Amino acid sequence: MATYQYVDLPDASVVTTRALLTARENITDTVTARAMMCIHGGAGFGKTLAVNTCLRALEPGEDVRKITFRARPTARAVRYELFTALDLAGEPPRHPSEFDRLLKTALAERPRTFLVDEAQWLNGEAFEYFRYLWDEPSTQLAIIFVGGAGCHTVLRREPMLSSRVFIWQQFTRLTPNEVLEVIPLFHPVWVDADPEDIAFADSHAAHGNFRAWAQLTAHTRTALARTGRPRVDQELLRWAFSRLA
């Protein structure tokens, strides 16, 4: 795939980790049940990539709409984001009750799945609005909340919503053993690398974080091209480390 974890990384592959396999089962079950789930974990652990990969596998049979928040939205802001995500015609209604009727009518037309990414930005009011729409008997919604640890914390503080969450899944760092299994499959740079060098790179720079591995791989790929070396070694890795924070 052309991009991976916010890095332009040619030849990278989506690796079927245990977390991705679990997410695939959990998302499929959540969509089938028209339920809500929460996928949470630290930055760069591969949550969004895994969810996007799993949801793409359900299309075109499933109508998936992605919503991403970059700041703490009010219920009014959530309404406008949903209006846009659903590609509704005309101008958004001015009055909340009218807006709510419009959204409920649209959501009753057919089954849909909302992927709500960066859900750590949602506050109680915003989460409550999603619950309000999901609780409407006529709507046929599945909702996948994906976010950092803050997402889990806020959801847990909202008992009316958290009690309705069908599945909770936490993404964590790759273990050292998982790194040795997964990274050679992730990119050709690591196929012929010595396992000790992969372990060295993980312990000094990547720390089981997929986004860090993507960044490190991009720099390592550059270093191999510039030096003409046939494979990764620790001297080359130290140069790549120097480019990382």
Side-chain angles (χ1 to χ4, degrees), residues 126-175:
F127 275 125
E128 176 62 23
Y129 191 73
F130 279 107
R131 184 199 66 79
Y132 165 73
L133 293 176
W134 182 83
D135 269 353
E136 172 62 36
S138 65
T139 61
Q140 304 174 69
L141 269 181
I143 305 177
I144 316 295
F145 294 111
V146 182
C151 166
H152 175 268
T153 302
V154 175
L155 269 172
R156 284 297 193 189
R157 285 201 208 109
E158 302 293 326
M160 289 185 67
L161 183 59
S162 65
S163 66
R164 289 164 169 78
V165 174
F166 187 52
I167 296 174
W168 302 83
Q169 182 180 348
Q170 181 179 14
F171 269 61
T172 59
R173 297 179 186 277
L174 296 172
T175 67

Side-chain angles (χ1 to χ4, degrees), residues 11 24 53 57-58 113 182 194 212 232:
D11 302 321
R24 182 179 296 162
T53 300
L58 298 179
T113 293
V182 165
D194 189 314
V232 171

Side-chain angles (χ1 to χ4, degrees), residues 69-205:
F69 296 102
R70 300 295 181 186
R72 300 196 180 280
T74 61
R76 180 174 181 271
V78 173
R79 289 185 182 97
Y80 277 91
E81 287 292 336
L82 292 173
F83 184 90
T84 301
L86 291 169
D87 298 320
L88 298 180
E91 293 295 320
R94 297 180 63 181
H95 300 290
S97 59
E98 184 184 353
F99 213 149
D100 292 346
R101 281 195 301 272
L102 175 67
L103 291 174
K104 286 179 182 179
T105 299
L107 293 172
E109 291 174 352
R110 59 182 178 275
R112 286 187 173 93
T113 293
F114 284 154
L115 164 57
V116 183
D117 201 10
E118 302 294 348
Q120 70 272 11
W121 288 108
L122 298 182
N123 54 22
E125 178 188 11
F127 275 125
E128 176 62 23
Y129 191 73
F130 279 107
R131 184 199 66 79
Y132 165 73
L133 293 176
W134 182 83
D135 269 353
E136 172 62 36
S138 65
T139 61
Q140 304 174 69
L141 269 181
I143 305 177
I144 316 295
F145 294 111
V146 182
C151 166
H152 175 268
T153 302
V154 175
L155 269 172
R156 284 297 193 189
R157 285 201 208 109
E158 302 293 326
M160 289 185 67
L161 183 59
S162 65
S163 66
R164 289 164 169 78
V165 174
F166 187 52
I167 296 174
W168 302 83
Q169 182 180 348
Q170 181 179 14
F171 269 61
T172 59
R173 297 179 186 277
L174 296 172
T175 67
N177 285 339
E178 284 179 306
V179 166
L180 294 178
E181 293 171 8
V182 165
I183 296 305
L185 302 174
F186 168 52
H187 196 276
V189 158
W190 308 107
V191 170
D192 296 324
D194 189 314
E196 289 188 7
D197 290 337
I198 293 175
F200 175 78
D202 191 58
S203 63
H204 285 76

Side-chain angles (χ1 to χ4, degrees), residues 5 7 190 200-222 236-245:
Q5 295 283 27
V7 176
W190 308 107
F200 175 78
D202 191 58
S203 63
H204 285 76
H207 310 295
N209 184 301
F210 240 125
R211 188 176 302 164
W213 266 108
Q215 294 169 340
L216 177 62
T217 301
H219 293 309
T220 301
R221 186 171 174 271
T222 299
L236 186 144
L237 287 172
R238 287 191 180 91
W239 178 86
F241 298 164
S242 71
R243 290 189 148 197
L244 301 172

Side-chain angles (χ1 to χ4, degrees), residues 22-92:
T22 301
R24 182 179 296 162
E25 291 180 355
N26 289 341
I27 289 169
T28 299
D29 291 346
T30 298
V31 171
T32 300
R34 293 293 145 195
M36 292 188 285
M37 73 173 290
C38 175
I39 292 183
H40 60 98
F45 289 178
K47 304 180 299 296
T48 298
L49 180 81
V51 172
N52 283 329
T53 300
C54 296
L55 287 175
R56 273 199 299 271
L58 298 179
E59 295 175 322
E62 183 64 27
D63 184 356
V64 178
R65 305 297 173 114
K66 182 176 179 179
I67 306 164
T68 303
F69 296 102
R70 300 295 181 186
R72 300 196 180 280
T74 61
R76 180 174 181 271
V78 173
R79 289 185 182 97
Y80 277 91
E81 287 292 336
L82 292 173
F83 184 90
T84 301
L86 291 169
D87 298 320
L88 298 180
E91 293 295 320

